[in-house]
Amino acid sequence: MTTTRQPVTRRGVGLPRVLWVPAALAFAIIALPVVGLMLKANWARLPELLVSDSALAALRLSLETAAISTALCIVLGGPLAAVLARGNPPALPILRSVVLLPLVLPPVVGGLALLYLVGRSGFVGKALDLWFGITVPFTTAAVVLAQTFVALPFLVVSLEGALRTAGQRYEAVAATLGASPTLAFRRITVPLVLPGLASGTVLAFARCLGEFGATTAFAGSLQGTTRTLPLLVYLERETDVDAAVALSLVLVVVAVAVIAVTRPRGSEGLS
Amino acid sequence: MKIRALAAIGAASALLLTACGSGGTAAPATQAAAPQTLTVLAAASLTETFNALGKQFETDHPGVSVKFNYAGSSDLAQQIVNGAPADVFAAASDATMKTVTDANLTAAKPVTFAKNVLQIATPPGNPKKIATFADLAEPDVKVVVCAPQVPCGAAEQKIEKATGTALKPVSQESDVKSVLSKVETGDADAGLVYVTDVNSAGDKVQGVNFPEASQASTNYPIAVLKNAPAGDLANQFLTTVTGEQGQKALEQAGFAKP
């Protein structure tokens, strides 16, 4: 997977001109729908629409749950990436395809799967309900679980790629100098893959923020508890298209801001 | 590795393309006369009934194929307003039909062809022993309803007001089928859905009638669209739905007479 870098492409010298046409088209496919959204927006009503109770509650819930889910992704997904990249686990290809499942599955399917696991009729959910009186669906915890489920692969994949690209030379040297695996991991591995971790974190956070399908299937939709911005957009579209568009723009702005502010310069080269 | 994967994807998409191509041309090829297609946009709750009516209509009108597009009424209304080509629109509320009439896109005034009322759906066996609307307000009952923005939620709010019983739902879903599915999985103790939804769910849920339901029935209006490519057929289909045959099928599905 290691590719030798071609410094010429940096300055655009060696890039065939013809690539510009599909490149422009690709960019248009991504950018033009957003333009459509902006043209549809009712700018006069925008401020009023954005400070409504339901909008503020949804924005707050979205940011909070996405932050918690992203933290969970780092705490749990980081070690998973390390094990996949360095731990030589048995049946690595199978493990990796399982980890990638949430990327391939429609999020609604993920939501249903969660429901059949920790919902009242699911085998874990039944036990939780019987022994502790805990029911997970319809709670904010369910939103976090749904977001973590769909976002984990983004972090794991970026980080695993970074770990593999970085190689283990420095750790090997550290070991010869008497550093324990823990020390070498903390002082060498983690700083080395920080850019990869950062870009994985941004991707995971963005994915959490946009999560819709798994949340609606698993967590339900109630203002302040489970109705995140995407769910509110979907609901408002029924009666008030202006409100739906305004909220969509908020999502666009938040997503762009998160990516622009946090995307580290060094991460462009990595996965 | 990579190249092989790409080749596999390419082959798969080529297969898909040919499959789609042959599927599209197969149906109308048998008829000698110019085959005609009638496109009907209908609320999701009409799926079973309209499918049956459509089959009958095709038998009665040789050479005609009826194409249905089922979705939430407001989605369909948006599609019509944004220029989707269609002949007939059957909505699950007056409000969504109004979106289309306001845009001046119906050929004639819409006709109400059915009514639907809410019913309480519980998991089989009704574990929380729900018998009345007021039971839904009990603190240990997890009840799921539609959000007020959609017709089933608007009807539910109307009943709350009429009865003075305020519900504390654990979720307000964006469509009635989502409410139903939360009851089917047993995660909700009760949900407010339409009678027709309970009927179509079979034994996966149990319906509980409550008298206040009649205070908030939902109208189902139908109209031929102004730019209908198959206008004559559209009118005939509308007559079928409002006529004896259609009314009988609707009644079987649980709809009330208009």
Side-chain angles (χ1 to χ4, degrees):
Chain A
M1 283 304 282
T2 45
T3 48
T4 46
R5 296 220 175 142
Q6 302 279 335
V8 268
T9 57
R10 282 261 172 95
R11 291 168 175 237
V13 181
L15 191 69
R17 287 269 161 100
V18 65
L19 290 186
W20 280 84
V21 178
L25 213 60
F27 186 79
I29 288 176
I30 298 173
L32 285 184
V34 182
V35 174
L37 203 60
M38 286 173 164
L39 291 178
K40 177 84 186 165
N42 185 339
W43 297 96
R45 277 187 70 202
L46 204 60
E48 158 223 349
L49 291 171
L50 294 184
V51 296
S52 69
D53 279 354
S54 56
L56 290 178
L59 178 62
R60 195 183 152 166
L61 184 70
S62 269
L63 292 175
E64 281 173 0
T65 51
I68 298 171
S69 306
T70 309
L72 276 176
C73 283
I74 297 171
V75 171
L76 304 174
L80 177 58
V83 167
L84 288 179
R86 303 265 170 95
N88 293 322
L92 179 63
I94 297 173
L95 281 185
R96 197 182 285 132
S97 4
V98 173
V99 169
L100 289 178
L101 264 184
L103 283 182
V104 187
L105 285 179
V108 175
V109 175
L112 285 177
L114 284 169
L115 202 56
Y116 295 140
L117 177 71
V118 286
R120 241 193 220 169
S121 56
F123 67 92
V124 172
K126 211 180 250 170
L128 283 176
D129 193 14
L130 272 178
W131 299 339
F132 307 106
I134 299 173
T135 50
V136 182
F138 312 124
T139 63
T140 307
V143 179
V144 170
L145 200 53
Q147 290 178 350
T148 310
F149 175 83
V150 296
L152 256 176
F154 287 88
L155 187 116
V156 174
V157 169
S158 335
L159 193 54
E160 196 200 340
L163 280 163
R164 285 185 184 278
T165 320
Q168 281 183 280
R169 281 162 300 160
Y170 297 109
E171 285 89 336
V173 173
T176 64
L177 296 174
S180 70
T182 314
L183 184 71
F185 184 80
R186 198 160 53 82
R187 298 291 293 274
I188 295 169
T189 314
V190 172
L192 258 180
V193 297
L194 220 46
L197 178 65
S199 64
T201 306
V202 172
L203 283 177
F205 185 80
R207 182 67 191 84
C208 288
L209 210 57
E211 208 319 287
F212 171 76
T215 311
T216 187
F218 174 50
S221 173
L222 191 68
Q223 183 174 328
T225 309
T226 48
R227 189 174 291 154
T228 53
L229 263 181
L231 270 72
L232 184 62
V233 170
Y234 189 73
L235 185 61
E236 288 293 359
R237 164 204 69 106
E238 296 278 345
T239 44
D240 190 349
V241 178
D242 283 350
V245 172
L247 294 165
S248 309
L249 286 177
V250 174
L251 269 175
V252 171
V253 169
V254 173
V256 168
V258 166
I259 293 170
V261 171
T262 56
R263 196 173 172 85
R265 260 162 279 146
S267 71
E268 260 80 30
L270 296 168
S271 65
Chain B
M1 255 304 258
K2 226 176 196 175
I3 292 172
R4 216 186 296 160
L6 273 176
I9 292 169
S13 34
L15 266 176
L16 257 174
L17 278 175
T18 46
C20 292
S22 58
T25 48
T30 44
Q31 201 61 32
Q36 276 187 293
T37 307
L38 177 72
T39 309
V40 178
L41 306 188
S45 46
L46 294 166
T47 307
E48 290 85 7
T49 319
F50 270 32
N51 273 343
L53 285 177
K55 269 220 182 83
Q56 189 57 46
F57 193 81
E58 281 175 352
T59 321
D60 296 346
H61 300 77
V64 173
S65 81
V66 187
K67 243 176 47 191
F68 289 105
N69 179 0
Y70 300 106
S73 303
S74 41
D75 277 344
L76 294 172
Q78 285 295 330
Q79 285 174 21
I80 294 168
V81 171
N82 285 305
D87 299 298
V88 179
F89 178 40
S93 78
D94 289 326
T96 43
M97 182 56 90
K98 194 167 172 288
T99 314
V100 178
T101 49
D102 280 354
N104 221 354
L105 287 171
T106 54
K109 210 167 160 266
V111 191
T112 303
F113 66 96
K115 278 186 175 192
N116 215 344
V117 290
L118 291 180
Q119 195 177 29
I120 299 168
T122 71
N126 192 356
K128 294 274 160 138
K129 307 269 171 284
I130 286 148
T132 65
F133 186 78
D135 286 351
L136 298 177
E138 296 291 327
D140 68 328
V141 173
K142 282 189 199 301
V143 59
V144 177
V145 299
C146 289
Q149 285 93 328
V150 291
C152 49
E156 184 269 325
Q157 297 262 307
K158 222 167 152 186
I159 294 171
E160 274 193 38
K161 265 201 197 105
T163 57
T165 312
L167 301 187
K168 275 221 157 70
V170 291
S171 182
Q172 296 179 314
E173 304 286 334
S174 55
D175 62 272
V176 69
K177 293 287 179 197
S178 301
V179 176
L180 190 69
S181 92
K182 300 277 191 310
V183 178
E184 281 178 6
T185 59
D187 288 290
D189 298 317
L192 276 171
V193 298
Y194 292 117
V195 173
T196 51
D197 297 311
V198 174
N199 278 3
S200 69
D203 51 13
K204 281 181 278 184
V205 299
Q206 196 170 322
V208 178
N209 279 315
F210 59 104
E212 299 91 337
S214 59
Q215 295 181 12
S217 63
T218 314
N219 286 338
Y220 278 58
I222 189 170
V224 172
L225 296 174
K226 191 178 242 169
N227 304 320
D232 284 346
L233 277 175
N235 280 317
Q236 289 174 38
F237 184 77
L238 194 141
T239 315
T240 308
V241 172
T242 51
E244 194 186 339
Q245 193 188 7
Q247 291 299 306
K248 211 170 129 194
L250 286 159
E251 200 186 320
Q252 266 169 10
F255 287 100
K257 290 222 181 297

